[in-house]
Amino acid sequence: MTEIFGIPVAVILGQLMLGLVNGSFYALLSLGLAVIFGLMGVVNFAHGAFYALGAFAALLGLQRFGVNYWAALVLAPLMVGILGIVLERLFLRRLYKLDPLYGLLMTFGLALVVEGFLHQLFGASGQSYPVPDALAGALNLGFMILPIYRAWVIVVSVVVCFGTWFVIERTRLGATLRAAKENAPLLQAFGVNVPLLVAATYGGGVALAALAGVLSAPVVLVSSQMGDSLVIVVFAVVVIGGMGSILGSIVSGLVLGIVEGFTKVIYPEASNIVVFVIMALVLILRPAGLFGRE
Amino acid sequence: MKRTIGLAALAVMLACGTASAQQVDVKIGVLSDMSSLYSDVGGPGSVVAAKMAIADFAKANPNVKVTLVSGDHQNKPDIGSQMANQWFDVDKVDVIVDVPNSGVALAVSQVAAQKNKVFLVSGAAASDLTGPKCNANTVHWTYDTWMLANGTGRAIVKTGGDTWFFLTADYAFGAALERDTKAAVEKAGGKVLGAVRHPLNTNDFSSFLLQAQGSGAQVLGLANAGEDFSNSLKAANEFGITKKMKPAALLAFITNIHSLGLQTAQGLYLTTGFYWDLNADTRAFSKRYFEKMKKEPTMDQAGYYSATLTYLKAVKSAGTTDSDKVMAELKKTKINDMFTKGGYIRADGVMVHDMYVMQVKSPQESKYPWDYYKLLKQMKGEEAFGPITGACALAPK
């Protein structure tokens, strides 16, 4: 078998594929964070909690109301998005005039409350969400067996990520959103309802987290802490991509997923810190992030 | 006047009567993980099991007054030992039971030795508690890493699975489990082809699993626990690895199997100290427990019931809560309850009792709710826990 640096090509291709799958989750989650930070200036520490809420919404929908996966893919982000809008109107909007640190603390508190609530209701053990029938089974790619569901995750993530990028960077709606960040009073003077726009942005950002939650429900156990370890990695991804850069978060999400995958082969013990090592390097060499504007 | 003297005599007699029946007050502390990853294994269920043991004991012994306190150690050894100090010194707690998480248990064990109080571990796994770190105040009740390795490791080699690859959680517990299992596998004639160490709380196990598959080993040894165990098995199933490799759980509780579902967990080998559906006694206990908790008890919680009940009986026989006297009583007691028949506490603090090697049923084999395990082998206590080693200073030389 052909080898590169002593690693068989089949193994490299396999890890590349798995890295892309994990990178897809990172990209979706960091995209939401980047949207919220880029357009609102809020560091949303509650992102992991909204991710868990999305997964629980899908799980409960299936168990209690017979809502299938496909419907959950739309309904769960919608419900969590509405919850996000309500929370923004009730709490976050009061903090915009203050230091960004207050927003961070507020969302961190929200995360603790939501996770505590889920833990109280569902316990610590986690629950299984079945893979939908249409996506069950696996593809034999020659170098590896790829579960169809994982391939689906890549497709959804890429479509949603670039869709979001297109809306924000290339459409009139996106221009209005960006204008709200640059000069809200002026935009208000043009007759645009800026507070509503900001609330909708937050709702949209957390809906992306919830979508990632629904997508991951069939892959991992659904539990109150499922977002805990992930959200820290995702923050690092956003920092590497450049805080608030939409394209940066997407590209660095995918790339870091792949880098992490290779670390798992070369030196597995370091696989959960490699992202942070890269973050430290990026902060030293290019503090605004790879795609950030200085 | 005569009547007054008569009443006084009666009063004196009554007073003597109660004095000879010896009112004993016992205070039990449940120190567990109430809110985080081990709270389904121990946690509130442990408190329920303790209350059941106290209620059962109180029926026959109304003159022993038992109070119960409970606390959350949050999986932090400093919080655990601080709480133990407070309970022993200020709240006058006589015995601490449960304590899942080996790090916390080791810390609490030292406090118990310093204060000369009794510590009955049901939830923690590290065999160090009765090995190099043993002391005269600590009893390890339900299971330990050596026993788990020995039970599952040897059972699988006997069924023909003699080449192993480990997926190991990269911290003390995982390393101990891998080391002990490796020894057990090699002693039984098997071979370990390799291992991969994954960080605690890993999100995705697929990379590690492909490496395991690449090794060509027949058995996938999962030397991890909790969420890591569940997610690695789930991914192994998804990637079709369980079709080629036999998965072996080195520490799994019935709550793990319940969350995974039989479709994913079927065929898994594991060793447990308790299963609700073993016999009429375990079923009767579990039925009472189920009414309160709406789930079946884990081996940790069942062991906790047994430890509390046995402790209370020892206090009653000793007529005091004095730790030395109670420990002496405990170490000479034969333990017979719904958890074990003929169990006994060894010099190093291991409670020697039978263990069960189980295989998880397929969805077709499961006939009713929580019908999850089939019994492959009942291991006698001596076989399960092995001979006493010199690692503990209390072991007979």
Side-chain angles (χ1 to χ4, degrees):
Chain A
M1 193 185 285
T2 349
E3 292 189 356
I4 300 173
F5 298 122
I7 303 168
V9 172
V11 172
I12 292 181
L13 287 173
Q15 296 300 337
L16 199 72
M17 210 64 213
L18 294 176
L20 268 182
V21 177
N22 287 327
S24 301
F25 282 116
Y26 291 162
L28 259 185
L29 280 166
S30 59
L31 175 68
L33 276 181
V35 166
I36 292 171
F37 184 79
L39 300 176
M40 298 171 65
V42 170
V43 181
N44 185 32
F45 251 78
H47 218 62
F50 286 116
Y51 165 76
L53 266 184
F56 269 106
L59 184 76
L60 282 186
L62 184 73
Q63 287 177 347
R64 304 276 163 84
F65 309 106
V67 176
N68 69 17
Y69 174 81
W70 306 103
L73 218 45
V74 178
L75 288 178
L78 197 68
M79 280 159 54
V80 174
I82 291 170
L83 178 70
I85 291 175
V86 171
L87 291 173
E88 196 275 343
R89 287 287 85 193
L90 283 178
F91 305 115
L92 273 177
R93 73 181 172 97
R94 298 167 201 280
L95 305 173
Y96 294 143
K97 293 192 188 80
L98 303 172
D99 191 279
L101 199 59
Y102 287 88
L104 188 153
L105 288 174
M106 176 78 233
T107 51
F108 185 57
L110 273 179
L112 293 181
V113 172
V114 169
E115 283 171 6
F117 181 68
L118 291 174
H119 185 274
Q120 185 62 30
L121 284 180
F122 303 102
S125 292
Q127 303 188 49
S128 287
Y129 188 95
V131 174
D133 290 338
L135 300 172
L139 298 169
N140 192 346
L141 301 182
F143 54 90
M144 74 177 295
I145 304 288
L146 182 70
I148 293 171
Y149 189 80
R150 304 248 172 177
W152 161 251
V153 168
I154 301 180
V155 174
V156 173
S157 170
V158 169
V159 168
V160 171
C161 282
F162 285 95
T164 309
W165 171 81
F166 186 81
V167 167
I168 291 175
E169 300 287 343
R170 292 282 180 272
T171 63
R172 193 178 162 76
L173 174 65
T176 317
L177 287 171
R178 282 178 288 133
K181 171 85 194 312
E182 294 295 326
N183 196 337
L186 188 64
L187 192 66
Q188 189 99 10
F190 286 143
V192 176
N193 187 346
V194 174
L196 183 73
L197 210 58
V198 171
T201 306
Y202 190 72
V206 301
L208 284 171
L211 177 66
V214 181
L215 277 178
S216 70
V219 178
V220 294
L221 283 186
V222 179
S223 78
S224 56
Q225 304 107 40
M226 64 189 287
D228 269 6
S229 49
L230 206 57
V231 76
I232 305 293
V233 178
V234 170
F235 264 104
V237 171
V238 173
V239 171
I240 292 167
M243 289 293 289
S245 162
I246 307 290
L247 193 63
S249 68
I250 298 170
V251 174
S252 56
L254 290 172
V255 170
L256 287 168
I258 294 170
V259 170
E260 200 185 64
F262 279 113
T263 317
K264 284 176 178 165
V265 183
I266 298 161
Y267 189 58
E269 287 88 340
S271 59
N272 64 340
I273 57 157
V274 64
V275 172
F276 301 102
V277 173
I278 295 174
M279 181 182 84
L281 286 175
V282 167
L283 283 177
I284 293 168
L285 300 174
R286 202 181 146 81
L290 297 179
F291 291 76
R293 269 162 277 171
E294 300 277 347
Chain B
M1 187 65 197
K2 255 188 186 172
R3 216 171 130 211
T4 322
I5 296 172
L7 277 176
L10 191 67
V12 169
M13 273 164 63
L14 277 174
C16 295
T18 36
S20 68
Q22 252 184 355
Q23 171 80 35
V24 186
D25 288 351
V26 189
K27 203 163 187 182
I28 296 174
V30 185
L31 184 56
S32 193
D33 174 358
M34 296 294 176
S35 56
S36 174
L37 67 167
Y38 300 124
S39 57
D40 281 356
V41 172
S46 291
V47 178
V48 165
K51 285 188 177 155
M52 288 169 68
I54 293 169
D56 290 356
F57 179 77
K59 257 185 240 158
N61 306 280
N63 59 327
V64 180
K65 185 171 164 265
V66 187
T67 42
L68 180 122
V69 291
S70 64
D72 187 357
H73 63 48
Q74 300 172 31
N75 291 305
K76 297 192 174 95
D78 53 336
I79 292 182
S81 53
Q82 187 197 338
M83 242 168 163
N85 270 311
Q86 149 107 15
W87 278 2
F88 287 145
D89 289 343
V90 184
D91 301 329
K92 304 295 169 209
V93 166
D94 299 299
V95 58
I96 290 183
V97 201
D98 202 14
V99 193
N101 186 321
S102 299
V104 184
L106 285 163
V108 172
S109 161
Q110 281 174 13
V111 177
Q114 275 163 19
K115 312 273 174 189
N116 195 24
K117 299 283 184 174
V118 180
F119 178 34
L120 308 174
V121 191
S122 177
S127 55
D128 295 30
L129 281 161
T130 54
K133 303 265 170 62
C134 73
N135 62 50
N137 299 68
T138 301
V139 178
H140 206 166
W141 207 270
T142 307
Y143 64 96
D144 65 34
T145 46
W146 194 91
M147 178 284 300
L148 293 168
N150 186 41
T152 311
R154 284 203 315 188
I156 295 182
V157 175
K158 276 210 183 114
T159 63
D162 51 8
T163 52
W164 284 60
F165 189 93
F166 288 103
L167 190 59
T168 306
D170 191 20
Y171 69 113
F173 158 78
L177 208 46
E178 183 194 320
R179 175 198 68 207
D180 291 347
T181 312
K182 189 170 179 220
V185 166
E186 283 170 354
K187 203 172 156 211
K191 218 170 120 189
V192 175
L193 301 184
V196 57
R197 300 270 165 90
H198 69 78
L200 190 62
N201 284 332
T202 293
N203 285 316
D204 176 63
F205 285 90
S206 41
S207 293
F208 302 123
L209 288 164
L210 287 199
Q211 294 176 54
Q213 192 177 26
S215 74
Q218 296 163 311
V219 182
L220 176 67
L222 298 169
N224 49 16
E227 207 88 321
D228 279 341
F229 157 74
S230 300
N231 280 331
S232 50
L233 187 63
K234 204 166 151 61
N237 220 45
E238 201 192 344
F239 280 84
I241 288 167
T242 45
K243 288 198 187 94
K244 291 174 194 144
M245 294 175 89
K246 267 188 211 172
L250 297 173
L251 176 56
F253 295 94
I254 194 152
T255 45
N256 295 129
I257 307 304
H258 186 67
S259 22
L260 281 166
L262 293 181
Q263 189 62 43
T264 305
Q266 59 180 313
L268 186 73
Y269 289 85
L270 56 91
T271 303
T272 182
F274 177 84
Y275 175 50
W276 71 273
D277 205 8
L278 274 175
N279 54 50
D281 287 350
T282 58
R283 278 188 287 272
F285 168 80
S286 305
K287 189 163 175 250
R288 287 169 57 204
Y289 179 93
F290 196 93
E291 278 161 14
K292 297 192 173 72
M293 293 299 289
K294 302 293 167 234
K295 48 188 157 190
E296 297 296 347
T298 62
M299 66 165 148
D300 178 5
Q301 289 149 348
Y304 185 78
Y305 169 90
S306 167
T308 310
L309 191 61
T310 312
Y311 174 82
L312 288 172
K313 284 180 184 161
V315 167
K316 185 194 161 201
S317 319
T320 169
T321 53
D322 176 85
S323 298
D324 295 334
K325 290 188 181 134
V326 174
M327 281 303 292
E329 193 63 42
L330 276 174
K331 285 196 175 169
K332 70 179 190 212
T333 310
K334 278 272 176 208
I335 302 156
N336 286 302
D337 53 25
M338 66 89 203
F339 180 75
T340 176
K341 300 281 175 279
Y344 61 91
I345 297 166
R346 224 161 54 176
D348 57 357
V350 173
M351 201 279 267
V352 179
H353 56 97
D354 290 3
M355 294 296 297
Y356 309 92
V357 181
M358 301 285 194
Q359 188 174 23
V360 176
K361 289 183 173 179
S362 66
Q364 294 76 33
E365 289 170 309
S366 175
K367 300 286 179 244
Y368 36 88
W370 294 86
D371 179 20
Y372 291 162
Y373 295 166
K374 54 188 171 206
L375 179 64
L376 293 185
K377 186 185 178 203
Q378 177 166 0
M379 277 194 296
K380 283 277 151 223
E382 288 75 13
E383 185 195 348
F385 290 91
I388 193 164
T389 63
C392 169
L394 298 166
K397 293 281 174 273

